[in-house]
Structure formats: C-alpha cells, structure tokens
C-alpha cells in the first residue's frame, strides 16, 4: 500500500469514527485501527490531512467522554486524561488540541506561551501552520462550543469557512447604541491564535460593517449541551 492509499485510509477511518461516535454505534474497529497506525504515517500526512484526521479524532473521543458524563457542567478532567491510543502513543484531548492542532502552545497562555504536550515522536505529528479556524470546529460538549462537523478532504475548506461564519454570527452580541460587540470567550482563550486584538478586528470586518465597536468578551458557558451536529 503506497503513502496515498495509507493516508486515504487514515482519513476515512477518522470520518467513520466520528460519525459512529455521534450515533452511539460500535467503534471498536476504528479504535483498533488508530492503535495500529504506524507513527511515520501520521508524520507524512499533509497539512490538510492532519487537520481532517485530528479534528475528527478529537471530536469523536469527546463524544465518548460525554456519553458517560452525568454532571450538568463539563468535567474538565476529561481534557488532561491520557487514554487515547494513537500509533501506540497514549494521548489526552489536550495533547491533540493544544499539542498537535495548535502547534504545542499552552492552553492557558492565550496563545503566547509554548506548551509541553508532545513527546519527541509526537512532535512530528503537529501542524506546521496554526489555522485559527480550527477553534470553530473543536467541540467539547459545552453550550458555548461550535457545532460538530464531520470532516473530509473534500469538504474541509468549506466547513472551516462555514464554521467560522456561523460561530461568529451566532455567538456575537451587538449593541449599536453603545457601540459595543460582545464576543465569545473563545477568542480571549486563544487571543494570539487569532492575531491578537488587531487580528480579531480584521476578522470581524468580514461579518460586521462597523469596525469601531468596543470589544468585550463574554464568559464561556461550560454547561453540558445537547449534541450540535452538521453531517
């Protein structure tokens, strides 16, 4: 099997895994497939393939955690628990989000402080370029999270754009009289990922005509939410 066939199989299993996890179907075959992947196959994935694979995997494993969570609020311990086996490496959700997808930056550093999530081998799996739109794809089950989108190589660019626009338009609150705009706390969590305040203002110009509004960040709602899915 050549590299193209292997990467195609890796991506397809990630898509199948997420769909099955969302539908509460059996996922044993996909779990075993992830364990058996050769580490170099993940290193050799192209940037777009990495995003599809790791976003699907993250969102799928979150669904497994949510299925057994009885608390009304998201139990944040799920993010640091190392129980996800990929290519014989045991990872946490934090390792995937902040280590691999965000390029190994600390989750509490607003995007400015490097993290220590990855081993010498898993550092080869991380994205080479930070894509801020991933933040509108990662769903941890909380009310303030974006919709879960099942990704493929064919739809990822479209879904990244739609995910961004829908999240910003749905989660932002405009006060025209006071010239204020309240954005999701998600933007503050990852301030530097979005290019700082200047980058956020540039992004908002795509969606709102008045770019002089004072920006405020709302509290992130960690209440456990019903499934929000777009297939």
């Amino acid at each position: 099997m050549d590299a193209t066939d292997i990467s195609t199989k890796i991506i397809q299993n990630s898509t199948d895994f997420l769909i099955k996890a969302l539908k509460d179907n059996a996922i044993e075959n996909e779990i075993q497939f992830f364990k058996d992947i050769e580490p170099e196959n993940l290193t050799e994935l192209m940037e777009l393939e990495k995003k599809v694979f790791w976003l699907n995997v993250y969102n799928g494993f979150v669904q497994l955690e949510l299925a057994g969570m009885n608390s009304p609020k998201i139990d944040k311990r799920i993010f640091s628990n190392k129980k996800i086996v990929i290519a014989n490496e045991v990872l946490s959700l934090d390792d995937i989000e902040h280590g691999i997808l965000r390029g190994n930056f600390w989750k509490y550093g607003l995007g400015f402080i490097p993290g220590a999530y990855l081993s010498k081998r898993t550092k080869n799996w991380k994205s080479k370029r930070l894509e801020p739109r991933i933040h509108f794809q990662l769903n941890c089950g909380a009310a303030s999270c974006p919709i879960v989108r099942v990704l493929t190589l064919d739809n990822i660019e479209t879904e990244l754009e739609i995910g961004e626009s829908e999240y910003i338009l749905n989660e932002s609150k405009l006060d025209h009289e006071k010239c204020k705009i309240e954005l999701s706390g998600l933007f503050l969590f990852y301030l530097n990922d979005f290019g700082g305040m200047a980058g956020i203002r540039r992004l908002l110009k795509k969606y709102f005509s008045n770019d002089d509004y004072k920006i405020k960040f709302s509290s992130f709602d960690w209440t456990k939410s019903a499934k929000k899915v777009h297939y």
Side-chain angles (χ1 to χ4, degrees):
M1 186 181 295
D2 63 27
T4 302
D5 292 335
I6 293 171
S7 63
T8 299
K9 192 171 183 181
I10 289 172
I11 298 302
Q12 186 60 57
N13 271 270
S14 77
T15 302
D16 293 344
F17 170 65
L18 178 52
I19 291 172
K20 290 180 179 181
L22 286 165
K23 295 182 176 180
D24 299 318
N25 291 339
I27 38 77
E28 286 82 3
N29 290 341
E30 286 73 25
I31 294 290
Q32 188 61 51
F33 176 85
F34 295 150
K35 291 178 180 179
D36 294 340
I37 294 173
E38 295 295 333
E40 59 268 23
N41 294 149
L42 295 177
T43 301
E44 293 167 359
L45 290 178
M46 297 183 296
E47 279 296 293
L48 211 56
E49 293 173 331
K50 287 181 181 180
K51 289 177 178 60
V52 173
F53 176 75
W54 290 109
L55 285 169
N56 283 339
V57 166
Y58 180 95
N59 286 333
F61 276 104
V62 166
Q63 291 302 312
L64 301 187
E65 292 291 340
L66 295 175
M69 190 182 298
N70 297 318
S71 61
K73 296 277 189 179
I74 296 299
D75 183 347
K76 297 179 184 178
R77 290 176 297 182
I78 66 170
F79 304 120
S80 57
N81 289 340
K82 286 184 176 286
K83 56 196 299 187
I84 301 167
V85 184
I86 308 285
N88 209 33
E89 288 282 338
V90 184
L91 306 173
S92 67
L93 290 169
D94 277 346
D95 293 335
I96 295 174
E97 178 179 3
H98 307 294
I100 295 171
L101 286 167
R102 295 185 58 236
N104 211 16
F105 278 86
W106 189 37
K107 66 178 177 179
Y108 296 123
L110 305 184
F112 293 96
I113 303 174
Y117 296 98
L118 303 179
S119 66
K120 183 176 181 180
R121 183 167 65 166
T122 56
K123 282 183 179 178
N124 295 323
W125 301 348
K126 71 178 182 178
S127 294
K128 295 178 181 178
R129 182 178 66 85
L130 176 62
E131 168 56 79
R133 293 178 296 176
I134 63 169
H135 292 300
F136 310 119
Q137 301 291 327
L138 292 161
N139 179 287
C140 67
S144 288
C145 282
I147 294 171
V148 179
R149 297 176 182 276
V150 179
L151 301 175
T152 67
L153 279 178
D154 291 333
N155 75 9
I156 184 169
E157 281 295 344
T158 299
E159 295 292 4
L160 285 171
E161 276 299 299
I162 293 174
E164 175 190 278
S165 63
E166 286 190 357
Y167 191 80
I168 290 174
L169 293 173
N170 291 337
E171 296 294 326
S172 302
K173 299 176 182 177
L174 284 170
D175 187 330
H176 297 289
E177 291 185 2
K178 296 183 179 180
C179 291
K180 291 182 180 180
I181 182 168
E182 186 173 321
L183 301 178
S184 167
L186 186 71
F187 286 96
L188 181 59
F189 292 163
Y190 308 113
L191 183 63
N192 196 47
D193 291 18
F194 292 103
M197 292 303 296
I200 290 174
R201 287 196 177 278
R202 285 193 297 271
L203 179 58
L204 294 180
K205 284 182 181 180
K206 293 172 59 177
Y207 303 102
F208 305 107
S209 58
N210 191 329
D211 59 356
D212 295 327
Y213 282 6
K214 182 179 179 181
I215 295 176
K216 178 183 177 181
F217 299 104
S218 63
S219 298
F220 196 85
D221 187 351
W222 288 99
T223 304
K224 185 178 176 184
S225 172
K227 289 181 183 179
K228 300 183 290 186
V229 185
H230 178 266
Y231 290 100

